């Protein structure tokens, strides 16, 4: 009898669900092709600035030094290296599809990509520049003043430099991943194992945080809901480990981070803000333990990793990312 | 002040006022803009959407937060718009600003709660997934057999968890807590049980938190503030509209005033134009009348001038009459005396033939002189105007004229010098000799009058032949004419003689006569004495046939 009750309850729960659920059939939506429409001249200018080492104090580091567009929009390091070889505090998140993130940075302290640019340019462990120096260097260039003047009424300014770079970054979407094809109705775009992985991704609760068009990037979550990740890790807490607490100084925000997007996750190892997970499998296992309170089997992990690799989309600069070519 | 400047000032002032009123009323009107109302409505919609999407995701196992993020962004954008410069004109009232500020603060709190909700709801979903999976697994696999304590504990945990999820009453919570306690009291355990226990604990914690957050979010004051903002804004915009319409009325008033003023100006300009036209036509009439009068006067003047010339001639004649009487008296006395002498001699019979003849010769000569004077008078009294210019001997004119006054001058002790060059004696001149004689006589009379008081009186008449011209000058011993009256001396009715003695016409008529002969009549200032000069051409232009005077 109790079982019947249970089954009824469950049945009622799920019977109610479709009526209340999101009208879209899946909690993950496919990426729109291409970024927002923008002036090609601005995009080119933004790209040149993105690759310009003059933005750093020593002239050795550009945005692309850590956000390598050939390497998934990030570097392959645990923590990024800035000017004079100084090691940064945190793992570089990918720049790809970053325009879809509701906040920027691991702790979500910037609302827009424009605001985000401020920090790495001035951080002494990253580019270590001052805006006045940057603007002076850009003004001394043979082409920049003309290009800025043709695009912006007030020429080379801090705001315009940020706008050009952010406009370029917003164009860095990686559409048409195999999973996106699947979402659009091409059910053969992913293999059975990958489908199983996706099913587990949903059933285990990963999808509770990694959802939406960017498979994450639209909410905050505590690192270590079902266990104390930082105590188990051992290393002492840095300011970067505090997450949002560093921004709000609210105890509730301790160890709270913006949930990262899982798009192109295959290309952005190592994982987590501290870069502690070297492989996807390791990352999935750690997430299951500390976020879901589950211990996953090897087979379960492999299937989920299989699913995650279907999230690799086309490189906006090349036709398709290196590894993404496998399927077709 | 000039009427134009007043007009300009009033128009400029009116225009400035009108422009100012226009902008103020525009400003007031934009304050009552639909844009602002739209913005508030957008905020209300976004607020409602946010709450609706939140409730949807609260009750669902799956689903994306993208919608919620969109709603959050939309509402935050409205908030920054409300505060931003683009809309500041619509909300420039302290009351509205306070409401906007309160709304944005409430929104901040709300969004903070929504973020927390998203995190906690994800945890809850995760736990739900686990419990669901386990319950399904159990429902499918457990055969009907005596249950192990672990299985019982597991079942009771699942049951109470789901019950708590569905109703979340205190009873359900108590049951869940009991089930948890029972599970932890068991000596043995399984992975599933541990997992379920962990998640049930999370459930207890998170479910209440989510319910709290949800009710906080739903009770958020954003909606209230937006409603109040809307209401207040409607009042405010209505007031602004009223103010704007007042300014518009002012604007209309200014325009009307300006219009009336312009109409008045145009009207007065038109009136001025009419007056001018009238004056113009009157003027023409007047000019015509004047011209007619002038012409008439000219004619009269000409007539009178002619009469004047005659009368001045007569007056000169009258003047001359005394002289003539004198001229005639002397010879008459001589004649009378000689006749008396001869009479006496005849009465006393003392007849001496030679003596008689001598005396008779004297009488004859003297009578001849009288005859000469009379003949001169007759010459002079001839009417001159009508006559054509006739060729006359120049010296005869001078001699005839001098004949009138020689005696008089001599008797008044005036020494008359006459200088004629030899060619002059033979020179002929085409002229109206009477008129020239009149001019000369006039000059002689003037000279005679002018030097009355001088001690050594002399008058010099000099006649010169200058080939084409004849010059006759009359110089007296006077010391010249003062410069200041020289200019006026030739004008009619100017005289320095005592009233009753001179007509004041002599010189002007003389000048007229000489100029009528195409000659010149002027005062020679190079001379030390008073010297008048008559310069006459020998031939008058346009008279081809010359007739010698009889």
């Amino acid at each position: 009898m109790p079982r019947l009750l249970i089954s009824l309850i469950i049945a009622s729960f799920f019977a109610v669900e479709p009526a209340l659920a999101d009208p879209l059939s899946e909690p993950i939506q496919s990426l729109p092709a291409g970024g927002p429409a923008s002036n090609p001249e601005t995009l080119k200018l933004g790209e040149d600035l993105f690759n310009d080492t003059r933005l750093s104090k020593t002239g050795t580091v550009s945005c692309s030094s850590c956000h390598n567009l050939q390497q998934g929009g990030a570097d392959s390091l645990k923590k990024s290296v800035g000017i004079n070889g100084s090691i940064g505090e945190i793992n570089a998140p990918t720049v790809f599809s970053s325009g879809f993130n509701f906040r920027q940075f691991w702790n979500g302290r910037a609302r827009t990509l424009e605001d985000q640019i401020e920090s790495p340019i001035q951080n002494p462990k990253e580019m270590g520049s001052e805006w006045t120096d940057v603007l002076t260097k850009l003004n001394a260039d043979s082409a920049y003043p003309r290009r800025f003047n043709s695009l912006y009424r007030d020429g080379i300014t801090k705001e315009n430099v940020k706008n050009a770079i952010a406009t370029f970054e917003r164009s860095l979407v990686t559409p048409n991943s195999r999973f996106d094809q699947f979402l659009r109705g091409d059910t053969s775009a992913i293999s059975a194992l990958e489908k199983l992985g996706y099913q587990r991704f949903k059933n285990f609760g990963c999808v509770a945080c990694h959802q939406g068009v960017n498979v994450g990037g639209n909410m905050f979550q505590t690192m270590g809901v079902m266990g104390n990740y930082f105590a188990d890790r051992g290393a002492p807490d840095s300011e970067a480990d505090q997450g949002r607490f560093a921004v709000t100084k609210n105890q509730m925000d301790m160890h709270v981070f913006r949930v990262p997007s899982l798009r192109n996750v295959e290309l952005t190892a190592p994982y987590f803000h501290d870069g502690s997970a070297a492989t996807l499998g390791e990352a999935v296992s750690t997430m299951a333990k500390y976020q879901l309170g589950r211990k996953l089997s090897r087979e379960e992990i492999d299937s989920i990793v299989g699913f995650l690799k279907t999230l690799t989309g086309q490189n906006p600069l090349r036709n398709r990312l290196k590894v993404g070519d496998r399927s077709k | 002040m000039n009427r134009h400047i007043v007009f300009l000032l009033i128009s400029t002032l009116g225009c400035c006022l009108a422009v100012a009123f226009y902008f103020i009323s525009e400003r007031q009107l934009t304050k009552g803009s639909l844009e602002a109302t739209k913005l508030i409505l957008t905020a209300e919609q976004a607020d409602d959407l946010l709450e609706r999407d939140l409730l949807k995701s609260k009750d669902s196992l799956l689903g994306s937060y993208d919608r919620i993020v969109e709603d959050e962004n939309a509402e935050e954008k409205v908030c920054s718009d409300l505060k931003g410069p683009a809309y500041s004109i619509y909300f420039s009232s302290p009351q509205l600003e306070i409401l906007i500020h309160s709304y944005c603060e409430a929104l901040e709190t709300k969004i903070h709660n929504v973020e927390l909700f998203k995190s906690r709801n994800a945890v809850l979903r995760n736990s739900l997934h686990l419990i669901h999976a386990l319950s399904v697994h159990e429902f499918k696999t457990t055969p009907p057999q005596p249950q192990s304590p672990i299985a019982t504990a597991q079942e009771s945990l699942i049951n109470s968890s789901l019950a708590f999820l569905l109703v979340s009453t205190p009873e359900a919570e108590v049951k869940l807590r009991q089930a948890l306690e029972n599970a932890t009291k068991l000596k043995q355990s399984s992975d599933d049980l541990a997992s379920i226990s962990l998640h049930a604990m999370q459930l207890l914690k998170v479910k209440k938190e989510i319910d709290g957050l949800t009710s906080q979010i739903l009770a958020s004051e954003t909606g209230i503030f937006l409603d109040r903002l809307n209401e207040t804004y409607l009042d405010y915009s209505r007031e602004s509209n009223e103010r704007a319409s007042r300014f518009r009325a002012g604007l209309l008033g200014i325009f009307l005033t300006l219009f009336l003023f312009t109409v008045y100006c145009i009207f007065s300009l038109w009136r001025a134009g009419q007056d001018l036209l009238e004056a113009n036509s009157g003027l023409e009439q007047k000019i015509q009348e004047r011209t007619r009068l002038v012409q008439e006067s000219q004619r009269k003047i000409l007539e009178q001038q002619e009469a004047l010339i005659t009368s001045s001639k007569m007056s000169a004649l009258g003047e001359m009459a005394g002289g003539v009487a004198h001229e005639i008296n002397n010879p008459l006395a001589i004649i009378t005396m000689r006749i008396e002498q001869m009479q006496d001699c005849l009465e006393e019979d003392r007849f001496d033939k030679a003596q008689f003849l001598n005396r008779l010769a004297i009488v004859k000569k003297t009578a001849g002189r009288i005859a000469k004077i009379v003949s001169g008078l007759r010459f002079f009294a001839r009417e001159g105007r009508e006559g054509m210019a006739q060729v006359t001997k120049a010296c005869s004119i001078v001699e005839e004229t001098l004949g009138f006054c020689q005696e008089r001058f001599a008797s008044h002790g005036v020494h008359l010098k006459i200088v004629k060059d030899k060619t002059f004696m033979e020179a002929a001149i085409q002229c109206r000799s009477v008129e020239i004689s009149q001019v000369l006589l006039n000059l002689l009379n003037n000279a005679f009058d002018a030097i009355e008081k001088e001690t050594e009186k002399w008058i010099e008449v000099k006649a010169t032949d200058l080939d084409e011209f004849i010059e006759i000058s009359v110089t007296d011993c006077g010391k010249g004419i003062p410069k200041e009256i020289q200019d006026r001396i030739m004008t009619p009715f100017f005289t320095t003689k005592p009233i009753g003695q001179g007509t004041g016409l002599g010189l002007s008529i003389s000048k007229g006569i000489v100029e009528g002969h195409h000659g010149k009549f002027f005062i020679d200032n190079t001379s030390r004495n008073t010297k008048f000069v008559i310069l006459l051409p020998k031939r008058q232009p346009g008279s081809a046939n010359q007739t010698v005077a009889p």
Side-chain angles (χ1 to χ4, degrees):
Chain A
M1 200 52 206
R3 279 187 199 153
L4 189 63
L5 181 71
I6 292 163
S7 65
L8 274 175
I9 289 168
I10 291 168
S12 71
F13 200 93
F14 284 98
V16 171
E17 201 220 333
L20 289 174
D22 202 289
L24 288 175
S25 56
E26 295 298 330
I28 297 171
Q29 289 87 44
S30 67
L31 266 183
S38 22
N39 185 344
E41 290 295 314
T42 316
L43 289 180
K44 188 77 189 74
L45 177 63
E47 183 175 4
D48 290 350
L49 290 167
F50 190 85
N51 292 313
D52 200 322
T53 53
R54 278 175 288 184
L55 263 53
S56 67
K57 188 180 182 184
T58 55
T60 50
V61 174
S62 70
C63 303
S64 58
S65 304
C66 299
H67 301 286
N68 189 334
L69 301 183
Q70 315 299 336
Q71 279 184 30
D75 50 18
S76 307
L77 304 167
K78 269 184 135 183
K79 285 169 185 174
S80 299
V81 179
I83 56 167
N84 304 322
S86 49
I87 308 294
E89 298 288 338
I90 210 156
N91 180 265
T94 177
V95 69
F96 284 143
S97 299
S98 56
F100 289 101
N101 291 339
F102 87 132
R103 302 281 195 281
Q104 304 299 335
F105 295 119
W106 280 99
N107 57 18
R109 64 184 183 274
R111 288 211 156 244
T112 62
L113 282 170
E114 275 90 343
D115 291 348
Q116 181 272 333
I117 292 162
E118 289 278 351
S119 185
I121 284 196
Q122 290 173 309
N123 188 332
K125 286 185 176 176
E126 295 182 35
M127 292 167 131
S129 269
E130 303 239 346
W131 273 110
T132 49
D133 296 340
V134 172
L135 297 183
T136 312
K137 284 188 212 167
L138 295 183
N139 264 312
D141 185 84
S142 58
Y144 278 136
R146 183 181 47 74
R147 294 172 71 185
F148 270 96
N149 286 333
S150 71
L151 292 167
Y152 299 97
R153 209 153 34 89
D154 42 357
I156 298 182
T157 65
K158 177 175 135 180
E159 295 309 317
N160 295 343
V161 170
K162 291 199 287 185
N163 176 266
I165 296 175
T167 306
F168 169 65
E169 288 173 342
R170 273 188 286 270
S171 77
L172 296 176
V173 289
T174 55
N176 220 22
S177 67
R178 288 192 291 120
F179 188 68
D180 283 341
Q181 294 169 25
F182 166 77
L183 284 178
R184 286 201 298 268
D186 181 3
T187 48
S188 62
I190 61 175
S191 68
L193 180 72
E194 287 158 351
K195 280 179 193 160
L196 178 64
Y198 176 49
Q199 204 53 46
R200 283 173 170 156
F201 186 80
K202 287 201 283 187
N203 287 343
F204 292 171
C206 311
V207 83
C209 291
H210 295 284
Q211 31 63 43
V213 71
N214 221 12
V215 201
N218 61 3
M219 62 180 284
F220 292 113
Q221 189 55 280
T222 313
M223 178 72 166
V225 176
M226 302 303 249
N228 196 334
Y229 168 82
F230 291 94
D232 295 353
R233 188 186 65 174
D237 266 17
S238 69
E239 194 186 316
D241 291 329
Q242 293 176 348
R244 265 189 86 62
F245 176 81
V247 185
T248 65
K249 303 293 173 197
N250 184 340
Q251 198 53 48
M252 277 173 83
D253 288 329
M254 183 55 90
H255 302 320
V256 169
F257 295 90
R258 180 201 63 189
V259 173
S261 161
L262 293 184
R263 289 198 174 270
N264 308 306
V265 70
E266 168 186 21
L267 308 171
T268 61
Y271 303 103
F272 306 144
H273 74 279
D274 52 5
S276 59
T279 64
L280 262 182
E282 209 178 306
V284 170
S285 159
T286 306
M287 279 285 109
K289 181 178 177 194
Y290 291 103
Q291 301 305 110
L292 307 178
R294 285 173 190 260
K295 191 172 180 340
L296 300 186
S297 68
R298 192 73 245 161
E299 186 263 331
E300 284 168 333
I301 291 172
D302 286 348
S303 65
I304 291 176
V305 167
F307 156 68
L308 290 177
K309 288 184 176 177
T310 68
L311 290 169
T312 303
Q314 284 175 350
N315 186 319
L317 298 187
R318 289 186 294 157
N319 279 343
R320 188 165 259 266
L321 291 178
K322 260 188 291 182
V323 204
D325 273 336
R326 284 180 314 182
S327 68
K328 286 188 178 174
Chain B
M1 220 197 303
N2 194 328
R3 243 167 60 172
H4 294 101
I5 292 175
V6 174
F7 175 66
L8 205 69
L9 276 178
I10 293 180
S11 315
T12 317
L13 193 76
C15 288
C16 289
L17 265 178
V19 169
F21 271 45
Y22 176 77
F23 278 113
I24 293 173
S25 79
E26 272 299 294
R27 212 184 131 82
Q28 293 293 339
L29 266 187
T30 43
K31 278 182 182 173
S33 161
L34 273 176
E35 291 294 310
T37 320
K38 263 192 214 161
L39 190 67
I40 297 173
L41 282 178
T42 313
E44 285 184 334
Q45 267 175 7
D47 202 52
D48 288 346
L49 266 178
L50 178 61
E51 286 172 12
R52 208 180 68 192
D53 289 335
L54 189 108
L55 284 177
K56 265 190 193 173
S57 69
K58 179 175 186 277
D59 286 335
S60 73
L61 259 180
L62 293 172
S64 108
Y65 288 142
D66 282 357
R67 285 273 183 111
I68 293 179
V69 169
E70 270 171 38
D71 300 336
E72 281 177 292
N73 286 344
E75 212 173 341
E76 277 181 330
K77 186 176 179 301
V78 171
C79 185
S80 68
D81 279 351
L82 281 171
K83 283 175 168 172
Y87 285 88
S88 64
I89 186 181
Y90 304 128
F91 303 111
S92 53
S93 117
Q95 210 186 345
L96 288 170
E97 276 166 18
I98 289 169
L99 275 174
I100 289 171
H101 183 74
S102 314
Y103 163 68
C104 289
E105 262 186 2
L107 182 65
E108 208 175 299
T109 316
K110 185 175 186 168
I111 282 176
H112 176 77
N113 286 335
V114 169
E115 288 307 328
L116 270 180
F117 170 88
K118 276 154 72 183
S119 303
R120 300 295 180 263
N121 196 46
V123 174
L124 180 74
R125 279 177 174 182
N126 166 30
S127 299
L128 272 178
H129 274 297
L130 184 105
I131 293 165
H132 154 234
L134 283 175
S135 63
V136 170
H137 176 71
E138 195 167 320
F139 184 66
K140 276 184 188 162
T141 56
T142 315
Q145 58 173 249
Q147 286 187 355
S148 68
I150 293 174
T152 318
Q154 209 166 305
E155 197 182 321
S156 101
L157 257 178
I158 290 171
N159 274 339
S160 53
S161 295
L162 288 172
F164 176 65
L165 258 178
L166 279 177
V167 289
S168 1
T169 54
E171 293 83 24
E173 194 188 332
V174 170
K175 271 193 182 168
L176 182 56
R177 283 188 190 284
Q178 272 176 356
L180 262 174
E181 247 173 69
N182 292 338
T184 43
K185 274 180 197 160
L186 282 177
K187 281 176 187 154
Q188 323 143 277
S189 184
S190 70
D191 280 357
D192 280 352
L193 186 62
S195 187
I196 289 181
S197 302
L198 201 61
H199 281 277
M201 276 195 296
Q202 280 290 342
L203 200 66
L204 266 175
K205 196 173 115 196
V206 171
K207 172 69 179 164
K208 281 175 81 179
E209 206 178 337
I210 286 174
D211 286 344
L213 282 170
T214 311
S215 55
Q216 265 186 51
I217 289 165
L218 293 182
S220 157
E221 284 176 308
T222 48
I224 299 163
F225 282 130
L226 279 175
D227 282 347
R228 274 173 59 192
L229 186 64
N230 198 11
E231 248 168 60
T232 317
Y233 179 72
L234 282 179
D235 287 348
Y236 174 72
S237 74
R238 201 176 49 240
E239 263 170 48
S240 293
N241 274 333
E242 274 166 20
R243 253 194 307 248
S245 64
R246 276 204 293 281
F247 274 109
R248 294 242 150 151
L251 194 64
L252 196 68
I254 290 171
F255 273 131
L256 267 178
T257 316
L258 269 184
F259 177 72
L260 285 178
F261 185 67
T262 313
V263 166
Y264 163 74
C265 286
I266 289 170
F267 179 70
S268 48
L269 276 177
W270 178 76
R271 276 279 300 275
Q274 284 299 102
D275 287 354
L276 206 64
L277 277 178
E278 229 164 83
N280 264 351
S281 66
L283 204 64
E284 244 162 68
Q285 228 170 2
K286 272 181 193 164
I287 286 171
Q288 277 172 0
E289 192 144 325
R290 289 276 162 88
T291 315
R292 198 174 51 76
L293 279 175
V294 166
Q295 280 168 347
E296 200 161 314
S297 317
Q298 266 179 340
R299 193 174 49 75
K300 272 185 189 163
I301 286 169
L302 279 175
E303 274 170 23
Q304 278 169 355
Q305 237 176 11
E306 210 132 310
L308 257 177
I309 291 171
T310 315
S311 83
S312 94
K313 191 165 72 182
M314 287 306 159
S315 108
L317 204 65
E319 244 174 271
M320 219 164 55
V324 168
H326 203 273
E327 298 280 334
I328 293 174
N329 256 3
N330 273 350
L332 269 181
I334 294 167
I335 291 169
T336 312
M337 195 184 74
R338 295 297 170 198
I339 289 172
E340 274 174 8
Q341 279 174 346
M342 283 188 289
Q343 202 174 7
D344 285 350
C345 283
L346 282 174
E347 278 170 4
E348 292 164 15
D349 284 331
R350 281 186 290 121
F351 181 75
D352 184 350
K353 192 184 171 183
Q355 196 185 24
F356 252 72
L357 281 173
N358 187 31
R359 282 177 182 165
L360 279 173
I362 290 170
V363 170
K364 192 183 171 190
K365 187 184 164 203
T366 314
R369 240 177 83 192
I370 293 171
K372 196 176 168 190
I373 289 168
V374 172
S375 92
L377 263 181
R378 229 184 24 234
F379 160 79
F380 192 76
R382 242 184 336 206
E383 193 68 48
R385 268 284 156 177
E386 310 113 29
M388 282 289 294
Q390 305 236 318
V391 177
T392 324
K393 277 199 152 185
C395 74
S396 72
I397 297 171
V398 177
E399 275 166 16
E400 297 263 9
T401 313
L402 287 175
F404 289 122
C405 37
Q406 264 165 338
E407 287 291 329
R408 187 161 54 116
F409 285 7
S411 67
H412 282 83
V414 177
H415 177 58
L416 185 67
K417 287 187 270 182
I418 297 161
V419 184
K420 301 179 202 165
D421 61 5
K422 274 183 190 153
T423 51
F424 181 79
M425 302 304 287
E426 303 301 322
I429 180 166
Q430 190 186 19
C431 66
R432 287 181 288 275
S433 52
V434 178
E435 288 182 4
I436 303 303
S437 177
Q438 187 185 348
V439 174
L440 188 56
L441 185 63
N442 194 15
L443 285 181
L444 288 167
N445 283 338
N446 279 354
F448 178 76
D449 290 342
I451 59 174
E452 211 176 355
K453 284 166 187 160
E454 300 284 327
T455 46
E456 200 176 317
K457 304 173 196 173
W458 56 264
I459 295 173
E460 186 191 69
V461 177
K462 188 177 175 186
T464 324
D465 182 12
L466 299 170
D467 291 342
E468 292 293 314
F469 292 92
I470 279 179
E471 189 192 88
I472 305 167
S473 66
V474 178
T475 317
D476 61 44
C477 57
K479 293 287 178 281
I481 296 164
K483 281 264 177 208
E484 55 269 27
I485 61 168
Q486 269 190 19
D487 297 334
R488 293 186 288 149
I489 204 163
M490 304 280 185
T491 55
F493 307 109
F494 177 84
T495 180
T496 53
K497 293 175 185 172
I499 294 167
Q501 273 200 25
T503 56
L505 287 167
L507 285 178
S508 71
I509 288 169
S510 300
K511 187 174 162 70
I513 288 169
V514 174
E515 281 169 3
H517 282 81
H518 305 97
K520 281 190 175 163
F521 181 77
F522 57 92
I523 301 162
D524 185 359
N525 283 319
T526 55
S527 167
R528 282 196 301 122
N529 300 99
T530 312
K531 182 179 181 184
F532 283 89
V533 179
I534 305 163
L535 194 64
L536 284 171
K538 283 183 177 170
R539 288 193 185 154
Q540 290 302 312
S543 55
N545 49 338
Q546 300 171 10
T547 42
V548 178

